[in-house]
Amino acid sequence: MLIFSIVLAFSPHIIFFVIVRFLLGVFCMGAMASSFCLGMEMVGPSWRVFAGVVVEYFWIAGSLLLLLLGYFIRYWKTLQLLFAIPTALTTLIYLKFIPESPKWLFVTNKTEEGHKILKKIASSNGVQLYDIKIIVSKKGGNDVPSGTLWSVMKSPVLRRQTLNITLCWTVNVMIYYGITLNISALAGNFYTNFLISIVLELVAYLTCQFFLNYSRRLTVAISMIAGGLAMACIIAVENESLITGIALFGKFAISISFGAIWMYTPELFPTCVRNAGIGFASMFGRVGGILAPIIGDLGSYVGYPSLSLIIFGVVCLVSGLLALILPETRNKNLPETIEDAEIFYKKSRFVKRKLCFQRRKMERNSIVV
C-alpha cells in the first residue's frame, strides 16, 4: 500500500494511473479485512462491539482529514503524497507493535508461537503464566482444523448464510459509495454536504455501537430496511432540498448497517476460514462499489435525477429483509471449525423453525407412502 500510494502520485498517464490505483485498492482491502479480523480475534465476546466499531471512528478521522486537505490543496498529486504519510505510520505501528492472532495460532496448531505472544500479553496485564498454560492446553492439539471457502459452500446452511451476508455487503458498499460519490449532484455546496455526511456518519457509528449491544442481526436488518424505505419514497418527492435530506438520511442508515456488518461478518465465519470469508464478502462488496457510480449517473441519462436513489432504496429494502434470517451472534463464542459453524447456524430460531417444518413434511410424506 505504501509503495503504490507513492507511485500513484507520479503517474505519467491515465493507463498507468488506473493500473496502480487498481493494485492499491487490492492491497488496501486485503489490509482492511485482515486487520479487522485480527482485532476481532484478539478480544472476548464482551469487547467485540467496541473492537468492531472503534475502527469506524478512525475512518471518520480519515474522512475529516480528506475534507480538510482537499479543501485547501486542490492539486491531486500533492494530495496523494500527503495520503501516503498515514500509510507509512500505520505500517510501522503494525510491524512494531501488532502481534499475530493467538486464537488463529492455537487453531492452526502453532501453539508455541501463540504461547510466546500470550506471555507478552500476560506481562502487560498481570496474568500469571500457569493461566496461559491452561489456555494452551485447551486450545492446543494434534488435529489442525482446516477449511476453505469451498468447504463452506458445500454446506447448505453455511452456503445460504454466506450468500446472504455477501448480498448485504454488495448492497451496503453500493449505496454507501453511491451516495458519497454523488454528493456533488445534490443540492447545496459540495464541501458542506460532505461535512454533513461525515457528521451523520459519526452519529451513525455511535448509534450502531449502542444497538449492537442488543442485536447484531436486527441492527443490520432494521437500518437497511429504514434506509431502503426512505430512499424508495423519493419517487413521491419533488423538492430538491427534501431529496438531499432523504439522501443524507439514507447515508446515515447505511452507515449504521455498514459499521455493523464489518463486525457481524467475522462472527458468522469459523476461525479457520474467517479471514477468507471476510475477504470473499468484501470482494463481492466491491462489485457494488463498481456499480455505484454507474447507477449514480443513471438518473442524468434518463432525465430523472432521483432514479439512482430509488434503485438504491429498493435493493436496500430487499437485502434488509433477507438479513432477518441470519443468525444472532451477540455474546456467542466464535465458531472455530466448519462443524462448529454449522451447529451454531442450525441453532438460530429461523433455521430451527425451517428444519422443523422440513422434518414434519418428510414425516407426513413417509406416512402417506
Side-chain angles (χ1 to χ4, degrees), residues 186-261:
L186 300 176
N189 180 268
F190 168 76
Y191 293 99
T192 302
N193 287 343
F194 192 72
L195 178 60
I196 293 173
S197 73
I198 293 174
V199 174
L200 285 175
E201 200 168 342
L202 175 60
V203 176
Y205 292 141
L206 291 170
T207 306
C208 174
Q209 184 172 356
F210 175 78
F211 284 109
L212 281 174
N213 288 306
Y214 297 95
S215 175
R216 272 63 152 160
R217 178 176 59 92
L218 292 180
T219 301
V220 172
I222 293 176
S223 59
M224 293 186 72
I225 292 172
L229 286 173
M231 288 183 286
C233 289
I234 286 180
I235 193 171
V237 179
E238 296 182 359
N239 184 278
E240 290 188 357
S241 297
L242 186 56
I243 290 175
T244 300
I246 294 175
L248 291 175
F249 174 79
K251 173 72 179 294
F252 169 79
I254 209 65
S255 294
I256 295 177
S257 176
F258 209 1
I261 207 171

Side-chain angles (χ1 to χ4, degrees), residues 65-310:
L65 181 62
L66 172 63
L67 176 64
L68 183 64
L69 293 176
Y71 184 81
F72 291 104
I73 302 173
R74 304 301 172 92
Y75 187 51
W76 73 269
K77 289 190 174 183
T78 304
L79 272 176
Q80 185 59 45
L81 286 174
L82 289 173
F83 293 156
I85 296 176
T87 307
L89 293 175
T90 304
T91 303
L92 292 174
I93 291 172
Y94 262 79
L95 292 175
K96 181 68 176 177
F97 299 106
I98 307 298
E100 183 56 88
S101 165
K103 185 179 183 68
W104 178 82
L105 291 172
F106 291 144
V107 168
T108 54
N109 206 28
K110 299 179 180 179
T111 308
E112 184 177 351
E113 187 177 349
H115 182 239
K116 290 180 180 178
I117 293 173
L118 282 184
K119 283 178 65 178
K120 294 180 181 179
I121 297 174
S123 64
S124 61
N125 290 324
V127 178
Q128 296 182 9
L129 185 59
Y130 65 82
D131 292 330
I132 300 176
K133 288 181 178 179
I134 293 173
I135 295 172
V136 173
S137 66
K138 290 181 179 180
K139 295 295 183 181
N142 296 323
D143 297 328
V144 180
S146 60
T148 62
L149 276 176
W150 177 244
S151 303
V152 173
M153 290 302 183
K154 287 193 296 184
S155 168
V157 290
L158 294 184
R159 180 170 62 247
R160 287 193 293 269
Q161 169 187 291
T162 302
L163 294 177
N164 196 341
I165 198 66
T166 298
L167 176 63
C168 286
W169 269 88
T170 304
V171 173
N172 271 266
V173 174
M174 180 178 67
I175 298 174
Y176 179 88
Y177 288 106
I179 296 177
T180 301
L181 294 173
N182 285 278
I183 280 181
S184 59
L186 300 176
N189 180 268
F190 168 76
Y191 293 99
T192 302
N193 287 343
F194 192 72
L195 178 60
I196 293 173
S197 73
I198 293 174
V199 174
L200 285 175
E201 200 168 342
L202 175 60
V203 176
Y205 292 141
L206 291 170
T207 306
C208 174
Q209 184 172 356
F210 175 78
F211 284 109
L212 281 174
N213 288 306
Y214 297 95
S215 175
R216 272 63 152 160
R217 178 176 59 92
L218 292 180
T219 301
V220 172
I222 293 176
S223 59
M224 293 186 72
I225 292 172
L229 286 173
M231 288 183 286
C233 289
I234 286 180
I235 193 171
V237 179
E238 296 182 359
N239 184 278
E240 290 188 357
S241 297
L242 186 56
I243 290 175
T244 300
I246 294 175
L248 291 175
F249 174 79
K251 173 72 179 294
F252 169 79
I254 209 65
S255 294
I256 295 177
S257 176
F258 209 1
I261 207 171
W262 264 108
M263 75 151 299
Y264 187 35
T265 305
E267 295 181 336
L268 292 174
F269 288 98
T271 302
C272 56
V273 294
R274 183 166 296 122
N275 201 40
I278 298 173
F280 179 80
S282 179
M283 177 186 69
F284 276 92
R286 305 311 136 183
V287 175
I290 294 171
L291 294 174
I294 299 174
I295 297 176
D297 291 337
L298 190 61
S300 61
Y301 289 117
V302 300
Y304 187 48
S306 299
L307 178 61
S308 58
L309 290 174
I310 295 172

